Amino acid sequence: MDDFIAARSQMALSLGFHIIFSCIGMIMPFFMAVSHYKWLKNGDPVYRNVTRAWSRGVAIFFATGAVSGTVLSFELGLLWPEFMKHAGPIFGMPFSLEGTAFFIEAIALGFYLYGWNRFNKWFHWWTGVVVGVSGLLSGILVVAANAWMNSPAGFDYVNGQYINIDPIAAMFNKAWFSQALHMILAALTATGFAVAGVHAFMILKRKNIRFHRKAFRIAAVFACVGAVLQPLSGDISAKNVGARQPEKLAAMEAHFKTEAKAGLIIGGIPDVKNETVRYAIKIPGALSFLAHGDFSTPVTGLDAFPKDSRPPVAITHYAFQTMVAIGMLMLLIAVFYFFTLWKRKKWLEKRWLLKLFALATPAGFLAVEAGWTVTEVGRQPWIIYGIMRTRDAVTPMPGIVYSFYIFTAVYFSLSIIVVFLLYRQVKMVGQLYDVS
């Protein structure tokens, strides 16, 4: 492994670790706020207990996310100094605003955690809402910075110089809305299914059933709403990518040849050497329709780009197919759950329904990781699309391989610690809030 691959691998590891906590930090406080609101309105102590239990989980994820996010900010400067030298003044605004949102989130979380029986009950609830809103804004601002890398704006690039910088135009680039919308719904779906799955598992184990059933209902509704809306945002994102980064769309679909009535590929193994896809199911005209809203419009293939400017096809294609497959699975579960709420409420007590959610616990986060892989790998070989190649931005400092090994060990250890803390928290729920 050379230093360039090590630097990319370390960044990928850090992002892959941090994005899980970012998603939970964006969404989990809203679960907490809904449960808290229900307690304030109807006085049911079970909702108070759910709220307090979830607030402890939010604190754990906030602390871990803050640490991993800080590491990422240092890595940007240490691993990619040439990138930050030019990009920092252009897209620094969303990062600085994200820092402000983070500080507000931290203050509000402190008020919330230590405000029980000290503040006015509605003010206390409102601090929990602020935690969620500021966390959501923080996520949107970071995504806006990443979107700028995919759709550079807010400057003129003349003779290798970045001039006429406009930070507002950079932040509100052509990719920010579609990426932010897709990320928010992905976070909602992933967090919802993860939380619902954990509570479904505890119900199956006959632990504190009333507590976990109420918690499950809140998380499951959030998850299913996100899963139903996610394909719509996916369609918006795909069309946006097709217009701005046609080679990324081509890599996502392993679409090698520019052609009209382009077929949509499901599955398959890309053969990059022979520029074909083996063992795939192909739906004629469907890719043209999804990309352009017309079955006959040509879709640009990878053959329109020099080989050294094409994304890694296999990784991008497999990640995209994984994301879509998991998304469709969660959509089916969501539709079935809403049907159950509408027509078959007696099925809500069935063990097979709970098993379905328990098995889907990691599904959303697997889809998030796959989707992030599509976003980042699909942009290669560019770190700033069309402007700066990733290889030109990496640090000349030697020994990055050892840094990658150390960070891998650190993140692996952190993962074990977080899992242990969450397991301990779930066990404590049964002891502290046993109202079965």
Side-chain angles (χ1 to χ4, degrees), residues 234 237-239 241-242 245-255 264-265 267 270 287 302 311-324 371 373-375 378:
S237 294
K239 285 182 168 60
V241 167
Q245 296 173 290
E247 64 270 51
K248 178 186 282 190
L249 180 65
M252 288 159 56
E253 287 293 337
H255 182 61
L264 179 70
I265 291 175
L287 181 58
L302 290 165
V313 177
I315 296 175
T316 308
H317 177 69
Y318 292 142
F320 179 68
Q321 294 284 307
T322 299
M323 178 187 69
V324 171
T373 300
V374 172
T375 299

PDB file of all heavy atoms in Angstrom, residues 234 237-239 241-242 245-255 264-265 267 270 287 302 311-324 371 373-375 378:
ATOM      1  N   GLY A 234     -34.000   9.858  -4.090  1.00  0.00           N
ATOM      2  CA  GLY A 234     -33.025   9.147  -4.904  1.00  0.00           C
ATOM      3  C   GLY A 234     -33.178   9.475  -6.377  1.00  0.00           C
ATOM      4  O   GLY A 234     -32.187   9.633  -7.103  1.00  0.00           O
ATOM      5  N   SER A 237     -31.765  12.907  -6.914  1.00  0.00           N
ATOM      6  CA  SER A 237     -30.302  12.855  -6.875  1.00  0.00           C
ATOM      7  C   SER A 237     -29.730  12.261  -8.150  1.00  0.00           C
ATOM      8  O   SER A 237     -28.734  12.761  -8.691  1.00  0.00           O
ATOM      9  CB  SER A 237     -29.839  12.039  -5.659  1.00  0.00           C
ATOM     10  OG  SER A 237     -30.173  12.683  -4.456  1.00  0.00           O
ATOM     11  N   ALA A 238     -30.337  11.174  -8.634  1.00  0.00           N
ATOM     12  CA  ALA A 238     -29.831  10.507  -9.840  1.00  0.00           C
ATOM     13  C   ALA A 238     -29.908  11.432 -11.053  1.00  0.00           C
ATOM     14  O   ALA A 238     -28.977  11.503 -11.861  1.00  0.00           O
ATOM     15  CB  ALA A 238     -30.606   9.223 -10.090  1.00  0.00           C
ATOM     16  N   LYS A 239     -31.026  12.142 -11.191  1.00  0.00           N
ATOM     17  CA  LYS A 239     -31.160  13.086 -12.297  1.00  0.00           C
ATOM     18  C   LYS A 239     -30.140  14.219 -12.181  1.00  0.00           C
ATOM     19  O   LYS A 239     -29.569  14.676 -13.185  1.00  0.00           O
ATOM     20  CB  LYS A 239     -32.581  13.647 -12.347  1.00  0.00           C
ATOM     21  CG  LYS A 239     -33.624  12.663 -12.888  1.00  0.00           C
ATOM     22  CD  LYS A 239     -34.993  13.305 -12.942  1.00  0.00           C
ATOM     23  CE  LYS A 239     -35.983  12.457 -13.750  1.00  0.00           C
ATOM     24  NZ  LYS A 239     -36.200  11.119 -13.216  1.00  0.00           N
ATOM     25  N   VAL A 241     -27.192  14.055 -10.662  1.00  0.00           N
ATOM     26  CA  VAL A 241     -25.881  13.496 -10.972  1.00  0.00           C
ATOM     27  C   VAL A 241     -25.728  13.309 -12.478  1.00  0.00           C
ATOM     28  O   VAL A 241     -24.671  13.598 -13.062  1.00  0.00           O
ATOM     29  CB  VAL A 241     -25.671  12.152 -10.243  1.00  0.00           C
ATOM     30  CG1 VAL A 241     -24.457  11.406 -10.798  1.00  0.00           C
ATOM     31  CG2 VAL A 241     -25.494  12.384  -8.749  1.00  0.00           C
ATOM     32  N   GLY A 242     -26.782  12.830 -13.133  1.00  0.00           N
ATOM     33  CA  GLY A 242     -26.728  12.630 -14.570  1.00  0.00           C
ATOM     34  C   GLY A 242     -26.463  13.917 -15.329  1.00  0.00           C
ATOM     35  O   GLY A 242     -25.777  13.913 -16.354  1.00  0.00           O
ATOM     36  N   GLN A 245     -22.570  15.131 -13.406  1.00  0.00           N
ATOM     37  CA  GLN A 245     -21.456  14.185 -13.414  1.00  0.00           C
ATOM     38  C   GLN A 245     -21.855  12.922 -14.190  1.00  0.00           C
ATOM     39  O   GLN A 245     -22.071  11.863 -13.606  1.00  0.00           O
ATOM     40  CB  GLN A 245     -21.061  13.805 -11.980  1.00  0.00           C
ATOM     41  CG  GLN A 245     -20.525  14.958 -11.145  1.00  0.00           C
ATOM     42  CD  GLN A 245     -20.311  14.544  -9.696  1.00  0.00           C
ATOM     43  OE1 GLN A 245     -21.255  14.320  -8.962  1.00  0.00           O
ATOM     44  NE2 GLN A 245     -19.051  14.450  -9.289  1.00  0.00           N
ATOM     45  N   PRO A 246     -21.967  13.034 -15.501  1.00  0.00           N
ATOM     46  CA  PRO A 246     -22.452  11.882 -16.286  1.00  0.00           C
ATOM     47  C   PRO A 246     -21.565  10.641 -16.150  1.00  0.00           C
ATOM     48  O   PRO A 246     -22.073   9.517 -16.241  1.00  0.00           O
ATOM     49  CB  PRO A 246     -22.451  12.415 -17.719  1.00  0.00           C
ATOM     50  CG  PRO A 246     -21.552  13.614 -17.704  1.00  0.00           C
ATOM     51  CD  PRO A 246     -21.683  14.207 -16.345  1.00  0.00           C
ATOM     52  N   GLU A 247     -20.270  10.820 -15.917  1.00  0.00           N
ATOM     53  CA  GLU A 247     -19.415   9.652 -15.761  1.00  0.00           C
ATOM     54  C   GLU A 247     -19.693   8.911 -14.455  1.00  0.00           C
ATOM     55  O   GLU A 247     -19.531   7.692 -14.366  1.00  0.00           O
ATOM     56  CB  GLU A 247     -17.930  10.025 -15.855  1.00  0.00           C
ATOM     57  CG  GLU A 247     -17.408  10.935 -14.771  1.00  0.00           C
ATOM     58  CD  GLU A 247     -17.514  12.395 -15.101  1.00  0.00           C
ATOM     59  OE1 GLU A 247     -18.608  12.833 -15.493  1.00  0.00           O
ATOM     60  OE2 GLU A 247     -16.499  13.108 -14.961  1.00  0.00           O
ATOM     61  N   LYS A 248     -20.130   9.666 -13.408  1.00  0.00           N
ATOM     62  CA  LYS A 248     -20.503   9.000 -12.163  1.00  0.00           C
ATOM     63  C   LYS A 248     -21.763   8.166 -12.369  1.00  0.00           C
ATOM     64  O   LYS A 248     -21.829   7.018 -11.909  1.00  0.00           O
ATOM     65  CB  LYS A 248     -20.736  10.029 -11.048  1.00  0.00           C
ATOM     66  CG  LYS A 248     -21.176   9.398  -9.733  1.00  0.00           C
ATOM     67  CD  LYS A 248     -21.543  10.424  -8.673  1.00  0.00           C
ATOM     68  CE  LYS A 248     -20.330  11.016  -8.027  1.00  0.00           C
ATOM     69  NZ  LYS A 248     -20.661  11.837  -6.834  1.00  0.00           N
ATOM     70  N   LEU A 249     -22.762   8.728 -13.045  1.00  0.00           N
ATOM     71  CA  LEU A 249     -23.980   7.965 -13.330  1.00  0.00           C
ATOM     72  C   LEU A 249     -23.646   6.735 -14.165  1.00  0.00           C
ATOM     73  O   LEU A 249     -24.174   5.639 -13.916  1.00  0.00           O
ATOM     74  CB  LEU A 249     -24.995   8.838 -14.058  1.00  0.00           C
ATOM     75  CG  LEU A 249     -26.316   8.146 -14.423  1.00  0.00           C
ATOM     76  CD1 LEU A 249     -27.079   7.749 -13.168  1.00  0.00           C
ATOM     77  CD2 LEU A 249     -27.179   9.039 -15.304  1.00  0.00           C
ATOM     78  N   ALA A 250     -22.762   6.887 -15.139  1.00  0.00           N
ATOM     79  CA  ALA A 250     -22.376   5.755 -15.976  1.00  0.00           C
ATOM     80  C   ALA A 250     -21.694   4.670 -15.152  1.00  0.00           C
ATOM     81  O   ALA A 250     -21.927   3.473 -15.360  1.00  0.00           O
ATOM     82  CB  ALA A 250     -21.460   6.232 -17.105  1.00  0.00           C
ATOM     83  N   ALA A 251     -20.847   5.078 -14.203  1.00  0.00           N
ATOM     84  CA  ALA A 251     -20.189   4.094 -13.342  1.00  0.00           C
ATOM     85  C   ALA A 251     -21.187   3.427 -12.404  1.00  0.00           C
ATOM     86  O   ALA A 251     -21.117   2.218 -12.151  1.00  0.00           O
ATOM     87  CB  ALA A 251     -19.081   4.769 -12.541  1.00  0.00           C
ATOM     88  N   MET A 252     -22.134   4.202 -11.886  1.00  0.00           N
ATOM     89  CA  MET A 252     -23.162   3.627 -11.012  1.00  0.00           C
ATOM     90  C   MET A 252     -23.925   2.522 -11.716  1.00  0.00           C
ATOM     91  O   MET A 252     -24.237   1.473 -11.135  1.00  0.00           O
ATOM     92  CB  MET A 252     -24.134   4.733 -10.566  1.00  0.00           C
ATOM     93  CG  MET A 252     -23.547   5.711  -9.566  1.00  0.00           C
ATOM     94  SD  MET A 252     -24.425   7.302  -9.493  1.00  0.00           S
ATOM     95  CE  MET A 252     -26.112   6.800  -9.128  1.00  0.00           C
ATOM     96  N   GLU A 253     -24.222   2.725 -12.991  1.00  0.00           N
ATOM     97  CA  GLU A 253     -25.006   1.766 -13.759  1.00  0.00           C
ATOM     98  C   GLU A 253     -24.136   0.832 -14.600  1.00  0.00           C
ATOM     99  O   GLU A 253     -24.681   0.003 -15.346  1.00  0.00           O
ATOM    100  CB  GLU A 253     -25.971   2.518 -14.680  1.00  0.00           C
ATOM    101  CG  GLU A 253     -27.137   3.151 -13.957  1.00  0.00           C
ATOM    102  CD  GLU A 253     -28.091   2.116 -13.366  1.00  0.00           C
ATOM    103  OE1 GLU A 253     -28.104   0.964 -13.859  1.00  0.00           O
ATOM    104  OE2 GLU A 253     -28.791   2.451 -12.406  1.00  0.00           O
ATOM    105  N   ALA A 254     -22.797   0.982 -14.485  1.00  0.00           N
ATOM    106  CA  ALA A 254     -21.874   0.216 -15.346  1.00  0.00           C
ATOM    107  C   ALA A 254     -22.295   0.354 -16.809  1.00  0.00           C
ATOM    108  O   ALA A 254     -22.388  -0.615 -17.560  1.00  0.00           O
ATOM    109  CB  ALA A 254     -21.831  -1.248 -14.930  1.00  0.00           C
ATOM    110  N   HIS A 255     -22.555   1.607 -17.184  1.00  0.00           N
ATOM    111  CA  HIS A 255     -23.047   1.928 -18.531  1.00  0.00           C
ATOM    112  C   HIS A 255     -21.847   2.343 -19.387  1.00  0.00           C
ATOM    113  O   HIS A 255     -21.394   3.484 -19.336  1.00  0.00           O
ATOM    114  CB  HIS A 255     -24.073   3.066 -18.420  1.00  0.00           C
ATOM    115  CG  HIS A 255     -24.703   3.469 -19.716  1.00  0.00           C
ATOM    116  ND1 HIS A 255     -25.452   2.610 -20.486  1.00  0.00           N
ATOM    117  CD2 HIS A 255     -24.691   4.661 -20.373  1.00  0.00           C
ATOM    118  CE1 HIS A 255     -25.876   3.252 -21.563  1.00  0.00           C
ATOM    119  NE2 HIS A 255     -25.425   4.492 -21.515  1.00  0.00           N
ATOM    120  N   LEU A 264     -31.676  -0.112 -18.032  1.00  0.00           N
ATOM    121  CA  LEU A 264     -31.326  -0.091 -16.613  1.00  0.00           C
ATOM    122  C   LEU A 264     -30.806  -1.467 -16.219  1.00  0.00           C
ATOM    123  O   LEU A 264     -31.470  -2.480 -16.445  1.00  0.00           O
ATOM    124  CB  LEU A 264     -32.553   0.272 -15.769  1.00  0.00           C
ATOM    125  CG  LEU A 264     -32.346   0.322 -14.256  1.00  0.00           C
ATOM    126  CD1 LEU A 264     -31.480   1.519 -13.882  1.00  0.00           C
ATOM    127  CD2 LEU A 264     -33.690   0.388 -13.534  1.00  0.00           C
ATOM    128  N   ILE A 265     -29.619  -1.491 -15.627  1.00  0.00           N
ATOM    129  CA  ILE A 265     -28.991  -2.748 -15.252  1.00  0.00           C
ATOM    130  C   ILE A 265     -29.284  -3.058 -13.786  1.00  0.00           C
ATOM    131  O   ILE A 265     -29.114  -2.211 -12.912  1.00  0.00           O
ATOM    132  CB  ILE A 265     -27.472  -2.686 -15.485  1.00  0.00           C
ATOM    133  CG1 ILE A 265     -27.178  -2.641 -16.981  1.00  0.00           C
ATOM    134  CG2 ILE A 265     -26.762  -3.868 -14.844  1.00  0.00           C
ATOM    135  CD1 ILE A 265     -25.709  -2.468 -17.311  1.00  0.00           C
ATOM    136  N   GLY A 267     -28.122  -5.701 -10.906  1.00  0.00           N
ATOM    137  CA  GLY A 267     -27.131  -6.724 -10.584  1.00  0.00           C
ATOM    138  C   GLY A 267     -26.017  -6.749 -11.616  1.00  0.00           C
ATOM    139  O   GLY A 267     -25.678  -5.753 -12.248  1.00  0.00           O
ATOM    140  N   PRO A 270     -19.506  -6.194 -13.560  1.00  0.00           N
ATOM    141  CA  PRO A 270     -18.862  -5.386 -14.603  1.00  0.00           C
ATOM    142  C   PRO A 270     -17.537  -6.007 -15.068  1.00  0.00           C
ATOM    143  O   PRO A 270     -16.708  -6.398 -14.243  1.00  0.00           O
ATOM    144  CB  PRO A 270     -18.617  -4.042 -13.918  1.00  0.00           C
ATOM    145  CG  PRO A 270     -19.534  -4.021 -12.746  1.00  0.00           C
ATOM    146  CD  PRO A 270     -19.658  -5.443 -12.307  1.00  0.00           C
ATOM    147  N   LEU A 287     -33.135   3.251 -18.072  1.00  0.00           N
ATOM    148  CA  LEU A 287     -32.122   4.206 -17.621  1.00  0.00           C
ATOM    149  C   LEU A 287     -32.338   5.561 -18.292  1.00  0.00           C
ATOM    150  O   LEU A 287     -32.198   6.611 -17.650  1.00  0.00           O
ATOM    151  CB  LEU A 287     -30.722   3.670 -17.922  1.00  0.00           C
ATOM    152  CG  LEU A 287     -29.560   4.576 -17.477  1.00  0.00           C
ATOM    153  CD1 LEU A 287     -29.621   4.838 -15.982  1.00  0.00           C
ATOM    154  CD2 LEU A 287     -28.216   3.945 -17.843  1.00  0.00           C
ATOM    155  N   LEU A 302     -19.471   5.573 -20.364  1.00  0.00           N
ATOM    156  CA  LEU A 302     -18.074   5.779 -19.991  1.00  0.00           C
ATOM    157  C   LEU A 302     -17.163   5.949 -21.197  1.00  0.00           C
ATOM    158  O   LEU A 302     -16.067   6.503 -21.075  1.00  0.00           O
ATOM    159  CB  LEU A 302     -17.600   4.599 -19.129  1.00  0.00           C
ATOM    160  CG  LEU A 302     -18.206   4.539 -17.718  1.00  0.00           C
ATOM    161  CD1 LEU A 302     -17.968   3.171 -17.099  1.00  0.00           C
ATOM    162  CD2 LEU A 302     -17.629   5.623 -16.829  1.00  0.00           C
ATOM    163  N   PRO A 311     -14.390   6.970 -13.119  1.00  0.00           N
ATOM    164  CA  PRO A 311     -14.407   6.449 -11.747  1.00  0.00           C
ATOM    165  C   PRO A 311     -14.154   4.938 -11.757  1.00  0.00           C
ATOM    166  O   PRO A 311     -14.352   4.278 -12.783  1.00  0.00           O
ATOM    167  CB  PRO A 311     -15.828   6.751 -11.264  1.00  0.00           C
ATOM    168  CG  PRO A 311     -16.399   7.703 -12.259  1.00  0.00           C
ATOM    169  CD  PRO A 311     -15.709   7.449 -13.553  1.00  0.00           C
ATOM    170  N   PRO A 312     -13.751   4.379 -10.617  1.00  0.00           N
ATOM    171  CA  PRO A 312     -13.656   2.921 -10.499  1.00  0.00           C
ATOM    172  C   PRO A 312     -15.048   2.306 -10.667  1.00  0.00           C
ATOM    173  O   PRO A 312     -15.930   2.503  -9.825  1.00  0.00           O
ATOM    174  CB  PRO A 312     -13.119   2.707  -9.077  1.00  0.00           C
ATOM    175  CG  PRO A 312     -12.467   4.003  -8.721  1.00  0.00           C
ATOM    176  CD  PRO A 312     -13.266   5.066  -9.411  1.00  0.00           C
ATOM    177  N   VAL A 313     -15.256   1.576 -11.741  1.00  0.00           N
ATOM    178  CA  VAL A 313     -16.605   1.142 -12.114  1.00  0.00           C
ATOM    179  C   VAL A 313     -17.148   0.086 -11.155  1.00  0.00           C
ATOM    180  O   VAL A 313     -18.284   0.192 -10.678  1.00  0.00           O
ATOM    181  CB  VAL A 313     -16.616   0.600 -13.559  1.00  0.00           C
ATOM    182  CG1 VAL A 313     -18.005   0.086 -13.927  1.00  0.00           C
ATOM    183  CG2 VAL A 313     -16.185   1.696 -14.523  1.00  0.00           C
ATOM    184  N   ALA A 314     -16.356  -0.949 -10.874  1.00  0.00           N
ATOM    185  CA  ALA A 314     -16.868  -2.072 -10.086  1.00  0.00           C
ATOM    186  C   ALA A 314     -17.322  -1.617  -8.696  1.00  0.00           C
ATOM    187  O   ALA A 314     -18.439  -1.926  -8.260  1.00  0.00           O
ATOM    188  CB  ALA A 314     -15.808  -3.162  -9.976  1.00  0.00           C
ATOM    189  N   ILE A 315     -16.457  -0.864  -8.002  1.00  0.00           N
ATOM    190  CA  ILE A 315     -16.806  -0.426  -6.646  1.00  0.00           C
ATOM    191  C   ILE A 315     -18.054   0.453  -6.663  1.00  0.00           C
ATOM    192  O   ILE A 315     -18.980   0.273  -5.858  1.00  0.00           O
ATOM    193  CB  ILE A 315     -15.631   0.339  -6.008  1.00  0.00           C
ATOM    194  CG1 ILE A 315     -14.425  -0.582  -5.843  1.00  0.00           C
ATOM    195  CG2 ILE A 315     -16.040   0.926  -4.660  1.00  0.00           C
ATOM    196  CD1 ILE A 315     -13.186   0.124  -5.341  1.00  0.00           C
ATOM    197  N   THR A 316     -18.083   1.405  -7.580  1.00  0.00           N
ATOM    198  CA  THR A 316     -19.227   2.324  -7.654  1.00  0.00           C
ATOM    199  C   THR A 316     -20.513   1.567  -7.978  1.00  0.00           C
ATOM    200  O   THR A 316     -21.571   1.817  -7.374  1.00  0.00           O
ATOM    201  CB  THR A 316     -18.974   3.408  -8.718  1.00  0.00           C
ATOM    202  OG1 THR A 316     -17.711   4.029  -8.480  1.00  0.00           O
ATOM    203  CG2 THR A 316     -20.061   4.470  -8.682  1.00  0.00           C
ATOM    204  N   HIS A 317     -20.429   0.643  -8.927  1.00  0.00           N
ATOM    205  CA  HIS A 317     -21.614  -0.112  -9.342  1.00  0.00           C
ATOM    206  C   HIS A 317     -22.129  -1.013  -8.210  1.00  0.00           C
ATOM    207  O   HIS A 317     -23.331  -1.022  -7.919  1.00  0.00           O
ATOM    208  CB  HIS A 317     -21.275  -0.962 -10.565  1.00  0.00           C
ATOM    209  CG  HIS A 317     -22.401  -1.833 -11.035  1.00  0.00           C
ATOM    210  ND1 HIS A 317     -23.536  -1.327 -11.610  1.00  0.00           N
ATOM    211  CD2 HIS A 317     -22.565  -3.191 -10.992  1.00  0.00           C
ATOM    212  CE1 HIS A 317     -24.365  -2.320 -11.921  1.00  0.00           C
ATOM    213  NE2 HIS A 317     -23.790  -3.460 -11.546  1.00  0.00           N
ATOM    214  N   TYR A 318     -21.226  -1.752  -7.580  1.00  0.00           N
ATOM    215  CA  TYR A 318     -21.653  -2.645  -6.495  1.00  0.00           C
ATOM    216  C   TYR A 318     -22.238  -1.860  -5.328  1.00  0.00           C
ATOM    217  O   TYR A 318     -23.252  -2.274  -4.735  1.00  0.00           O
ATOM    218  CB  TYR A 318     -20.475  -3.489  -6.008  1.00  0.00           C
ATOM    219  CG  TYR A 318     -19.965  -4.502  -7.004  1.00  0.00           C
ATOM    220  CD1 TYR A 318     -18.602  -4.760  -7.132  1.00  0.00           C
ATOM    221  CD2 TYR A 318     -20.846  -5.210  -7.830  1.00  0.00           C
ATOM    222  CE1 TYR A 318     -18.123  -5.690  -8.054  1.00  0.00           C
ATOM    223  CE2 TYR A 318     -20.379  -6.141  -8.753  1.00  0.00           C
ATOM    224  CZ  TYR A 318     -19.019  -6.370  -8.857  1.00  0.00           C
ATOM    225  OH  TYR A 318     -18.546  -7.292  -9.770  1.00  0.00           O
ATOM    226  N   ALA A 319     -21.607  -0.729  -4.993  1.00  0.00           N
ATOM    227  CA  ALA A 319     -22.112   0.084  -3.890  1.00  0.00           C
ATOM    228  C   ALA A 319     -23.501   0.641  -4.219  1.00  0.00           C
ATOM    229  O   ALA A 319     -24.402   0.649  -3.371  1.00  0.00           O
ATOM    230  CB  ALA A 319     -21.142   1.228  -3.592  1.00  0.00           C
ATOM    231  N   PHE A 320     -23.668   1.097  -5.448  1.00  0.00           N
ATOM    232  CA  PHE A 320     -24.965   1.635  -5.860  1.00  0.00           C
ATOM    233  C   PHE A 320     -26.049   0.556  -5.837  1.00  0.00           C
ATOM    234  O   PHE A 320     -27.155   0.782  -5.339  1.00  0.00           O
ATOM    235  CB  PHE A 320     -24.854   2.239  -7.255  1.00  0.00           C
ATOM    236  CG  PHE A 320     -26.139   2.797  -7.786  1.00  0.00           C
ATOM    237  CD1 PHE A 320     -26.706   3.920  -7.220  1.00  0.00           C
ATOM    238  CD2 PHE A 320     -26.789   2.191  -8.852  1.00  0.00           C
ATOM    239  CE1 PHE A 320     -27.903   4.446  -7.703  1.00  0.00           C
ATOM    240  CE2 PHE A 320     -27.980   2.694  -9.344  1.00  0.00           C
ATOM    241  CZ  PHE A 320     -28.539   3.828  -8.764  1.00  0.00           C
ATOM    242  N   GLN A 321     -25.716  -0.614  -6.367  1.00  0.00           N
ATOM    243  CA  GLN A 321     -26.686  -1.707  -6.372  1.00  0.00           C
ATOM    244  C   GLN A 321     -27.054  -2.127  -4.950  1.00  0.00           C
ATOM    245  O   GLN A 321     -28.222  -2.425  -4.659  1.00  0.00           O
ATOM    246  CB  GLN A 321     -26.116  -2.897  -7.140  1.00  0.00           C
ATOM    247  CG  GLN A 321     -25.909  -2.653  -8.623  1.00  0.00           C
ATOM    248  CD  GLN A 321     -27.199  -2.679  -9.417  1.00  0.00           C
ATOM    249  OE1 GLN A 321     -27.964  -3.632  -9.343  1.00  0.00           O
ATOM    250  NE2 GLN A 321     -27.448  -1.633 -10.181  1.00  0.00           N
ATOM    251  N   THR A 322     -26.061  -2.133  -4.063  1.00  0.00           N
ATOM    252  CA  THR A 322     -26.325  -2.481  -2.658  1.00  0.00           C
ATOM    253  C   THR A 322     -27.252  -1.462  -2.020  1.00  0.00           C
ATOM    254  O   THR A 322     -28.217  -1.826  -1.333  1.00  0.00           O
ATOM    255  CB  THR A 322     -25.003  -2.538  -1.877  1.00  0.00           C
ATOM    256  OG1 THR A 322     -24.154  -3.539  -2.448  1.00  0.00           O
ATOM    257  CG2 THR A 322     -25.245  -2.865  -0.412  1.00  0.00           C
ATOM    258  N   MET A 323     -26.969  -0.180  -2.239  1.00  0.00           N
ATOM    259  CA  MET A 323     -27.805   0.877  -1.679  1.00  0.00           C
ATOM    260  C   MET A 323     -29.250   0.760  -2.167  1.00  0.00           C
ATOM    261  O   MET A 323     -30.197   0.824  -1.369  1.00  0.00           O
ATOM    262  CB  MET A 323     -27.233   2.237  -2.064  1.00  0.00           C
ATOM    263  CG  MET A 323     -28.051   3.421  -1.568  1.00  0.00           C
ATOM    264  SD  MET A 323     -27.460   5.005  -2.225  1.00  0.00           S
ATOM    265  CE  MET A 323     -27.911   4.846  -3.963  1.00  0.00           C
ATOM    266  N   VAL A 324     -29.428   0.566  -3.457  1.00  0.00           N
ATOM    267  CA  VAL A 324     -30.772   0.492  -4.022  1.00  0.00           C
ATOM    268  C   VAL A 324     -31.498  -0.754  -3.519  1.00  0.00           C
ATOM    269  O   VAL A 324     -32.686  -0.692  -3.159  1.00  0.00           O
ATOM    270  CB  VAL A 324     -30.710   0.492  -5.565  1.00  0.00           C
ATOM    271  CG1 VAL A 324     -32.085   0.186  -6.156  1.00  0.00           C
ATOM    272  CG2 VAL A 324     -30.203   1.829  -6.073  1.00  0.00           C
ATOM    273  N   GLY A 371     -24.109   4.218  -0.022  1.00  0.00           N
ATOM    274  CA  GLY A 371     -24.398   5.470  -0.714  1.00  0.00           C
ATOM    275  C   GLY A 371     -23.248   6.459  -0.629  1.00  0.00           C
ATOM    276  O   GLY A 371     -22.935   7.155  -1.604  1.00  0.00           O
ATOM    277  N   THR A 373     -20.161   5.641  -0.346  1.00  0.00           N
ATOM    278  CA  THR A 373     -19.139   5.095  -1.242  1.00  0.00           C
ATOM    279  C   THR A 373     -19.403   5.539  -2.678  1.00  0.00           C
ATOM    280  O   THR A 373     -18.480   5.927  -3.403  1.00  0.00           O
ATOM    281  CB  THR A 373     -19.108   3.562  -1.156  1.00  0.00           C
ATOM    282  OG1 THR A 373     -18.801   3.164   0.184  1.00  0.00           O
ATOM    283  CG2 THR A 373     -18.064   2.973  -2.097  1.00  0.00           C
ATOM    284  N   VAL A 374     -20.667   5.500  -3.092  1.00  0.00           N
ATOM    285  CA  VAL A 374     -21.027   5.955  -4.439  1.00  0.00           C
ATOM    286  C   VAL A 374     -20.653   7.430  -4.620  1.00  0.00           C
ATOM    287  O   VAL A 374     -20.059   7.825  -5.632  1.00  0.00           O
ATOM    288  CB  VAL A 374     -22.535   5.758  -4.698  1.00  0.00           C
ATOM    289  CG1 VAL A 374     -22.948   6.410  -6.015  1.00  0.00           C
ATOM    290  CG2 VAL A 374     -22.884   4.279  -4.720  1.00  0.00           C
ATOM    291  N   THR A 375     -20.979   8.246  -3.635  1.00  0.00           N
ATOM    292  CA  THR A 375     -20.698   9.678  -3.724  1.00  0.00           C
ATOM    293  C   THR A 375     -19.211   9.967  -3.852  1.00  0.00           C
ATOM    294  O   THR A 375     -18.789  10.778  -4.692  1.00  0.00           O
ATOM    295  CB  THR A 375     -21.254  10.398  -2.478  1.00  0.00           C
ATOM    296  OG1 THR A 375     -22.670  10.209  -2.421  1.00  0.00           O
ATOM    297  CG2 THR A 375     -20.960  11.891  -2.529  1.00  0.00           C
ATOM    298  N   GLY A 378     -17.363   7.531  -6.747  1.00  0.00           N
ATOM    299  CA  GLY A 378     -17.877   7.922  -8.052  1.00  0.00           C
ATOM    300  C   GLY A 378     -17.346   9.259  -8.538  1.00  0.00           C
ATOM    301  O   GLY A 378     -17.466   9.575  -9.731  1.00  0.00           O
TER     302      GLY A 378
END
